[in-house]
Amino acid sequence: MEQLPTPPGERPARTTHASPRTAHTATATATVSEQGIVTGWSEEARRLLGYAPAEVVGRPAAELLADRPDGSGRAEGPEQAAPSPGSGGTGPAARPLAPGQERWSGTVALRHRDGRRLEAVLLAHRRPAADGAAEWFVMSAADGEPEAPWDGALGDWAFDRSPCVLAVFDEDLRLVRANAGMRRALSLKESQMRGLRLSEIAPDAVSEETERGMRRVLETGDPQSVDGLVRPPGGGAAPGWATSLAPVPGPDGRVRAVFLTAHEKAAADTAPRAALPPTLAGARIITAAPDSAHTAQELADAAVPRLADFAIVDLLETSPRGEGPAPGSGTGAVSVSRSAVRSVLGGSQESRFAVGETTVYPALSPPVECLAAGRGAVYGTADPAVARWVAQDPAASWIGEYGTHSMMLVPLRDGGTTIGLAFFSRHRNREPFDPEDLRLAEELAARAATGIHRARRTSREHTSTMTLQRSLLPQTLPVQSALEIASRYLPAAGDAGVGGDWFDVIPLSGARVALVVGDVVGHGMRASATMGRLRTAVRTLADVDLPPDELLTHLDDLILHLSASETGRDDASGIGTTCLYVVYDPVTRRCTAARAGHPPPAVVSPEGSAYLLDVPAGPPLGLGGLPFETVEVELPEGSLLALYTDGLLQARDHDIDEALDSMLAALILPASTLDTVCDRVLTALLTHRPEDDVALLVARTRALHTDKVAVWDLPSDPSFVAQARRNATDQLTVWGLDEAAFVTELVVSELVTNAIRYGEAPVQLRLIHEGSTLICEVSDASGTAPHMRRARIFDEGGRGLLLVAQLTQRWGTRHTLFGKTIWAEQSLVDF
């Protein structure tokens, strides 16, 4: 007895047969540099091979292979770091990948941490790395294949319940299997059709053509496509079908059956194409045009003269949310923007309608009623509604002047959103519009509405993202005397959208300045929002005066936490974000830098030699558990520093090495201003709008010489506090700052007293005269930071730092390798 299809809403009965595993099958992922070094390692990779990220990242990938080509466990090149095509078996071949190869797949023997040998099917893609070089992204299904294949019962049920029409015909083209879709299409049970040919089941020309296609499949073994399938019983119009015929080979390779798949076409595709004018049948409207005006003009051009003698496309003004009125929202006056005009008369008629002008359709006019109804309509000029419109609206007087006799009004709608209105008319073609013409116009309008809505949405999202990003980037560079600075930021061109590149300039204590550039992986609103969070985090960590390597470590933890909060998984899905953090001290003229997967800064000496600062690369942010290293160099006064994102180097017409050479060559050219330097770098490297965001930060170092800095080493004895005050006031006299002596004496007295009383020797006092700012610093060997508190009435102490905070512009603490420094800044503007 034939099993009938399961009624809608019911599930098939459970069976005792084995079923495929329904648990989540994870994917183990890793990244490998072109030099064969592991640079990324996921949690699933740890589960697969037992290695934690810290044990693998930075090591040669070849050490993970069970069968090493050289037997030494060392990778001597990229050909040994990743399997190569054609290796077969279980080990990589000892020959390089084909030049330009972008993907590799195969079975590789890997060695588990506990010594076990594992056979893994790997898929690897070559892609750009964060530092501009290339890397391999390798993945494997960590949990392997499903535990059991689909059994017959589940496979039969899936075949039967497919949303498409499915059927199998044998070598004699007789039906052997038919699913529920096929049974519905023919209104017959499978038992009634089994053993019959399609031309016998539904004898008509379409079935005969389908049978001829099946015969070609049996003879040639090539798939075939047929436009049509069957006509329903009882006559009536045949639905439009897209039918595919595929060969089913047997074990010997000979075609033993034909598999038929069919689905009903969309309404727009099922129209009888014989009724389409030959020129209109080929009309295309680009639904991914760069702007809505372009798509609107394409609609007018497609309709004239193929369908109409005259066409106007009017678009509704967008609301703050970017949506037009819904159908039936009202019949009051509607304001539209004229976006496209096309006429067979050319300029003599088109010049009357200025594209871009605003037009108001009066209440209850045919255009307003069409928008309210949400469907198209055909009018003759003698219709009372048209006559009333022409009499009411002087702007519609042209309808009679050009001899118009037939009109169509079609709303532009995409989903539930009304975009605008298309107006078509005939005056040269004497045939009035008929229902078929209206259907064609609605098809063209629907395509145009999709493109216009997409263009508006893309433009709105891009504008929102740009607004967000510009609000997060520095609007003006801060005033400081350590560096002369200029910057440039260029958003990406094309459909990628605004990315997460950013830069910042952060004044620090002791006249020092921090320069930061970063690149958040991805584009769009999410990347910009993440960039804003990271920039805020960097500023917060910089205020604490953390060394560059410690700051990047905290930023790395933040990326992991952000990734976990967004994905719910504590893994390295946020890998790809990079950052470079540089601190310059004008007193010592020393530059301290650390980077997380970011390109190194460029340096130009005062003599004109250019080079890349050798900053240890460090892993990209989000990997977790890996250290960052700091490099410290002395830069002569007048040196040039250039920090940039990788978008500057990723031009289409040259490679990374050529780009670096071009950048260094542009940096060494003499220039009167740093703005000129920035412009020269961009001109040398970018011949077009970049495909990725570009951030460029250029700085020229300055120095605070000994005549602006005074230092005293103090004994750890309270009796020397008075001597410290005298030293400070004497130095202010030398600098001509006697007016600031009173406040400075109080600040020095409180800070030195605290250092001697609560800190550890040695104690040092330093005064820095930086432009309009006087900086007082007291250092000691204790790592304990002071805290400001509010003293009670009868307390003898506890008011020192409160007094300092009230008398100075700002104050704080920074920790050093040998203790801490308490600093306070006074503004000299009022003296």
Side-chain angles (χ1 to χ4, degrees):
M1 182 175 179
E2 182 184 20
Q3 180 180 358
L4 296 177
T6 306
E10 295 185 10
R11 296 180 180 272
R14 295 182 63 89
T15 68
T16 57
H17 298 281
S19 60
R21 182 170 55 199
T22 58
H24 173 68
T25 300
T27 300
T29 61
T31 53
V32 181
S33 70
E34 287 281 79
Q35 291 71 39
I37 303 301
V38 178
T39 58
W41 193 257
S42 70
E43 173 63 20
E44 287 76 14
R46 185 193 66 77
R47 295 172 185 165
L48 178 66
L49 293 181
Y51 293 98
E55 298 177 288
V56 177
V57 173
R59 293 173 53 187
E63 294 183 3
L64 302 174
L65 302 176
D67 303 324
R68 303 176 192 173
D70 59 357
S72 66
R74 295 182 179 178
E76 299 180 354
E79 69 274 10
Q80 294 178 2
S84 59
S87 62
T90 60
R95 67 172 187 267
L97 296 162
Q101 184 169 348
E102 300 295 331
R103 187 178 69 178
W104 184 93
S105 62
T107 301
V108 177
L110 303 175
R111 183 71 64 189
H112 193 275
R113 190 174 185 275
D114 60 11
R116 287 185 289 121
R117 177 190 178 96
L118 294 178
E119 303 283 342
V121 178
L122 302 184
L123 175 63
H125 301 273
R126 180 184 271 124
R127 68 181 188 183
D131 59 0
E135 67 180 7
W136 284 90
F137 182 59
V138 186
M139 63 206 77
S140 175
D143 293 337
E145 296 294 327
E147 292 174 349
W150 279 21
D151 59 14
L154 186 56
D156 290 345
W157 182 84
F159 177 92
D160 189 75
R161 304 309 298 167
S162 170
C164 298
V165 169
L166 303 178
V168 180
F169 295 81
D170 63 14
E171 292 180 272
D172 294 327
L173 302 185
R174 299 186 181 278
L175 186 141
V176 294
R177 286 289 304 275
N179 77 335
M182 186 71 168
R183 299 195 295 269
R184 284 193 301 270
L186 296 168
S187 298
L188 292 171
K189 296 180 179 180
E190 187 180 63
S191 59
Q192 296 172 309
M193 298 183 288
R194 190 179 298 118
L196 299 178
R197 297 191 177 195
L198 185 61
S199 59
E200 297 169 342
I201 300 170
D204 60 19
V206 175
S207 298
E208 293 174 358
E209 175 60 25
T210 304
E211 265 195 16
R212 286 192 289 271
M214 288 192 282
R215 179 60 63 189
R216 288 192 294 271
V217 172
L218 288 171
E219 293 172 352
T220 66
D222 297 326
Q224 303 289 322
S225 297
V226 182
D227 194 10
L229 178 61
V230 294
R231 183 178 299 276
W241 295 93
T243 303
S244 299
L245 305 171
V248 181
D252 57 356
R254 186 167 61 88
V255 178
R256 297 296 183 90
V258 177
F259 194 78
L260 180 149
T261 307
H263 66 272
E264 288 193 53
K265 296 180 181 179
D269 296 329
T270 59
R273 288 300 179 187
L276 282 170
T279 54
L280 187 59
R284 292 180 64 250
I285 295 177
I286 301 175
T287 59
D291 56 70
S292 56
H294 186 93
T295 306
Q297 190 60 54
E298 281 192 332
L299 171 59
D301 294 344
V304 177
R306 297 163 175 144
L307 179 64
D309 298 330
F310 181 64
I312 292 177
V313 180
D314 293 328
L315 300 182
L316 295 167
E317 299 293 336
T318 57
S319 66
R321 296 180 58 185
E323 299 176 353
S329 60
T331 56
V334 175
S335 176
V336 296
S337 175
R338 188 133 295 160
S339 298
V341 179
R342 181 68 186 274
S343 171
V344 293
L345 301 179
S348 61
Q349 186 177 12
E350 294 173 8
S351 60
R352 181 168 181 168
F353 305 90
V355 173
E357 71 177 5
T358 299
T359 300
V360 178
Y361 287 123
L364 301 178
S365 62
V368 173
E369 291 180 344
C370 175
L371 288 171
R375 59 178 180 272
V378 176
Y379 293 90
T381 53
D383 288 351
V386 176
R388 185 170 58 251
W389 175 27
V390 173
Q392 181 184 5
D393 184 7
S397 60
W398 63 269
I399 294 176
E401 295 176 8
Y402 289 97
T404 301
H405 63 87
S406 185
M407 300 184 305
M408 284 191 301
L409 294 170
V410 180
L412 303 179
R413 302 193 67 239
D414 182 40
T417 302
T418 302
I419 307 297
L421 179 75
F423 179 98
F424 307 101
S425 67
R426 283 178 177 173
H427 56 270
R428 178 177 292 178
N429 186 338
R430 305 317 302 171
E431 292 292 327
F433 290 118
D434 57 24
E436 177 61 16
D437 294 325
L438 179 60
R439 186 193 65 77
L440 298 178
E442 288 177 334
E443 178 181 337
L444 291 175
R447 296 177 184 176
T450 299
I452 293 171
H453 198 197
R454 181 182 293 121
R456 281 185 166 183
R457 185 168 56 248
T458 301
S459 176
R460 187 168 60 252
E461 291 174 354
H462 186 270
T463 301
S464 300
T465 305
M466 283 291 295
T467 302
L468 172 63
Q469 188 177 55
R470 291 187 183 278
S471 68
L472 296 173
L473 291 173
Q475 304 303 306
T476 58
L477 297 178
V479 177
Q480 45 76 40
S481 58
L483 297 168
E484 178 190 356
I485 297 176
S487 65
R488 292 291 185 272
Y489 177 81
L490 295 178
D495 299 331
V498 179
D501 290 21
W502 58 284
F503 66 91
D504 208 349
V505 179
I506 308 172
L508 302 176
S509 64
R512 298 168 305 131
V513 177
L515 304 178
V516 196
V517 290
D519 187 356
V520 176
V521 65
H523 294 83
M525 186 71 72
R526 182 178 178 275
S528 293
T530 303
M531 176 268 286
R533 299 165 83 172
L534 289 183
R535 179 172 178 259
T536 301
V538 169
R539 279 193 159 266
T540 302
L541 295 171
D543 284 342
V544 184
D545 247 324
L546 293 177
D549 54 342
E550 292 186 26
L551 184 142
L552 292 181
T553 299
H554 285 282
L555 210 59
D556 187 41
D557 291 339
L558 175 63
I559 290 288
L560 286 174
H561 293 154
L562 290 178
S563 177
S565 65
E566 292 177 359
T567 64
R569 297 169 55 193
D570 188 13
D571 58 13
S573 60
I575 290 178
T577 298
T578 66
C579 184
L580 169 64
Y581 187 78
V582 177
V583 176
Y584 175 70
D585 187 343
V587 177
T588 63
R589 296 188 296 279
R590 298 197 69 81
C591 176
T592 309
R595 62 186 177 120
H598 201 87
V603 179
V604 180
S605 69
E607 295 77 22
S609 61
Y611 58 94
L612 296 179
L613 192 62
D614 188 14
V615 184
L621 297 174
L623 188 61
L626 296 174
F628 299 95
E629 297 183 54
T630 298
V631 66
E632 185 174 345
V633 297
E634 183 173 341
L635 296 179
E637 184 177 6
S639 298
L640 200 67
L641 266 173
L643 288 71
Y644 50 91
T645 55
D646 59 1
L648 183 66
L649 307 178
Q650 293 179 349
R652 291 190 296 262
D653 50 358
H654 50 232
D655 59 25
I656 297 299
D657 291 335
E658 292 176 349
L660 288 172
D661 292 340
S662 299
M663 180 182 69
L664 296 177
L667 288 172
I668 63 176
L669 293 176
S672 57
T673 66
L674 292 187
D675 287 314
T676 302
V677 175
C678 291
D679 293 338
R680 282 179 177 170
V681 170
L682 296 182
T683 301
L685 292 173
L686 303 178
T687 58
H688 54 277
R689 280 289 298 278
E691 297 178 354
D692 194 6
D693 289 13
V694 172
L696 175 64
L697 191 61
V698 177
R700 180 175 284 118
T701 63
R702 296 168 176 159
L704 285 175
H705 299 286
T706 55
D707 61 332
K708 296 295 183 181
V709 180
V711 181
W712 299 274
D713 292 325
L714 303 175
S716 186
D717 186 341
S719 64
F720 282 88
V721 174
Q723 182 61 45
R725 289 197 299 265
R726 284 193 297 270
N727 292 341
T729 54
D730 291 344
Q731 185 63 51
L732 293 184
T733 300
V734 173
W735 286 338
L737 301 175
D738 292 323
E739 296 86 350
F742 177 73
V743 172
T744 303
E745 278 191 278
L746 289 174
V747 171
V748 168
S749 180
E750 293 298 336
L751 295 186
V752 171
T753 299
N754 280 345
I756 293 175
R757 180 178 298 175
Y758 304 110
E760 297 178 6
V763 178
Q764 185 182 81
L765 169 64
R766 184 169 74 162
L767 294 182
I768 302 174
H769 181 199
E770 181 201 15
S772 61
T773 301
L774 179 64
I775 304 170
C776 176
E777 296 183 343
V778 177
S779 304
D780 68 84
S782 171
T784 304
H787 297 282
M788 186 170 58
R789 62 186 179 89
R790 189 174 297 278
R792 292 172 294 182
I793 296 177
F794 299 106
D795 287 348
E796 295 183 1
R799 298 175 178 84
L801 289 180
L802 180 61
L803 183 63
V804 170
Q806 296 297 316
L807 293 176
T808 60
Q809 197 171 22
R810 61 178 190 142
W811 75 280
T813 304
R814 70 172 180 269
H815 291 272
T816 65
L817 293 176
F818 308 104
K820 67 176 182 299
T821 297
I822 313 298
W823 54 269
E825 294 182 3
Q826 301 176 56
S827 175
L828 302 177
V829 175
D830 298 330
F831 294 111

